[in-house]
């Protein structure tokens, strides 16, 4: 199956700093990628839809200035958590779907962010 | 709007016993349905999906699910549980075809397998 890779898998940062998480589709082109956030023992919450070459579409309640999403190419989307605070600590997961597919999404391994 | 309800946040079965994880959905259009499995600190892996055609869908690791439109259900089953099946399972629904679309996830069911 298609492979989606996230980097880094774990990151620890100080409060007030910014952290960038990359999501790459390794063997297919993804015009659309999705960013999810998962709190411990909870389900995935969709944060935003990332579209190649255009602005991301954010879900209600998600701060677009805090969670910057860039989808500059068909194989790479990035999520930057700006001025991170401890409450931003979470597991962030990206997913991508291949164009022309059945709507199936392929998920990255996730990135665990810990803000001290 | 679409939604997914997973009954039972925790399910415990003995090794070798039947696994049944329940999922009911709500959708105003014909749904695409998915089951994903998540192991600790990992992303999600697709177990199986229903798009069109046969309503009984077979997936990986011996899992299968049946789409029942009349019951708006898509329950996941496995005849005989294995210790390695212990994980978090998510049912999800989407409504578009031919392109990547948003998935709406259920709250998840944690499967515990005991000796």
């Amino acid at each position: 199956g298609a492979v989606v890779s996230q980097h880094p898998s774990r990151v620890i940062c100080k409060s007030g700093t910014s952290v960038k998480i990359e999501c790459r589709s390794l063997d297919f082109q993804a015009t659309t990628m999705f960013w999810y956030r998962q709190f411990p023992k909870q389900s995935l919450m969709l944060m935003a839809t990332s579209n190649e070459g255009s602005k991301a579409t954010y879900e209600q309640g998600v701060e677009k200035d805090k969670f910057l999403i860039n989808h500059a190419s068909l194989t790479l989307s990035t999520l930057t958590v700006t001025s991170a605070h401890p409450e931003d600590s979470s597991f962030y997961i990206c997913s991508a779907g291949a164009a022309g597919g059945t709507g199936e999404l392929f998920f990255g391994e996730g990135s665990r962010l810990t803000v001290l | 709007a679409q939604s997914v309800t997973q009954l039972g946040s925790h399910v415990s079965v003995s090794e070798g016993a039947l696994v049944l994880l329940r999922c009911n959905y709500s959708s105003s259009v014909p749904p695409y349905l998915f089951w994903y499995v998540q192991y600790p600190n990992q992303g999600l892996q697709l177990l199986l999906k229903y798009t069109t055609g046969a309503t009984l869908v077979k997936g990986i690791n011996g899992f299968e699910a049946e789409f029942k439109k009349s019951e708006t259900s898509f329950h996941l089953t496995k005849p005989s549980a294995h210790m390695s099946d212990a994980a978090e399972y998510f049912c999800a629904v989407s409504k578009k075809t031919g392109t990547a679309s948003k998935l709406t996830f259920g709250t998840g069911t944690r499967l515990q397998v005991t000796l």
Side-chain angles (χ1 to χ4, degrees):
Chain A
V3 178
V4 174
S5 178
Q6 271 184 253
H7 177 79
S9 58
R10 292 178 180 270
V11 57
I12 300 173
C13 70
K14 293 182 178 180
S15 185
T17 61
S18 295
V19 173
K20 179 184 288 187
I21 300 170
E22 293 186 347
C23 177
R24 294 181 184 273
S25 57
L26 298 185
D27 50 2
F28 66 100
Q29 294 184 331
T31 55
T32 302
M33 291 184 174
F34 301 92
W35 286 96
Y36 292 84
R37 181 174 182 177
Q38 186 180 31
F39 292 101
K41 299 183 180 181
Q42 293 188 28
S43 189
L44 283 74
M45 180 192 77
L46 180 65
M47 298 175 65
T49 303
S50 172
N51 300 297
E52 187 267 336
S54 63
K55 292 183 178 180
T57 303
Y58 290 82
E59 296 298 303
Q60 189 174 7
V62 178
E63 299 176 62
K64 60 180 66 176
D65 294 330
K66 180 162 192 62
F67 299 99
L68 300 180
I69 292 173
N70 183 275
H71 194 157
S73 77
L74 287 172
T75 59
L76 173 65
S77 175
T78 60
L79 168 68
T80 301
V81 183
T82 63
S83 186
H85 289 88
E87 59 265 29
D88 299 324
S89 299
S90 191
F91 194 55
Y92 293 89
I93 305 176
C94 73
S95 67
T102 59
E104 177 182 347
L105 295 182
F106 303 96
F107 285 80
E109 313 95 323
S111 300
R112 182 163 298 284
L113 170 63
T114 302
V115 184
L116 302 177
Chain B
Q2 297 182 303
S3 66
V4 175
T5 300
Q6 289 184 242
L7 297 176
S9 58
H10 288 82
V11 171
S12 181
V13 301
S14 300
E15 189 174 36
L18 171 71
V19 175
L20 171 60
L21 304 183
R22 298 179 186 274
C23 173
N24 289 87
Y25 70 91
S26 173
S27 178
S28 58
V29 297
Y32 278 18
L33 295 159
F34 306 83
W35 275 100
Y36 285 88
V37 61
Q38 184 182 34
Y39 297 98
N41 295 311
Q42 294 187 28
L44 274 67
Q45 180 183 9
L46 180 68
L47 280 177
L48 49 79
K49 63 183 178 184
Y50 168 78
T51 54
T52 59
T55 57
L56 181 61
V57 180
K58 295 186 183 299
I60 63 172
N61 302 339
F63 285 94
E64 62 182 36
E66 186 171 10
F67 170 60
K68 292 186 176 181
K69 183 178 179 180
S70 61
E71 299 178 8
T72 61
S73 69
F74 191 57
H75 302 329
L76 181 71
T77 61
K78 181 174 180 178
S80 177
H82 192 273
M83 295 297 288
S84 61
D85 295 327
E88 187 86 20
Y89 291 81
F90 292 97
C91 181
V93 62
S94 71
K95 62 180 179 180
K96 294 181 66 175
T97 65
T99 184
S101 61
K102 291 191 292 187
L103 287 177
T104 299
F105 286 91
T107 50
T109 298
R110 182 168 297 277
L111 177 64
Q112 180 182 20
V113 182
T114 60
L115 289 172

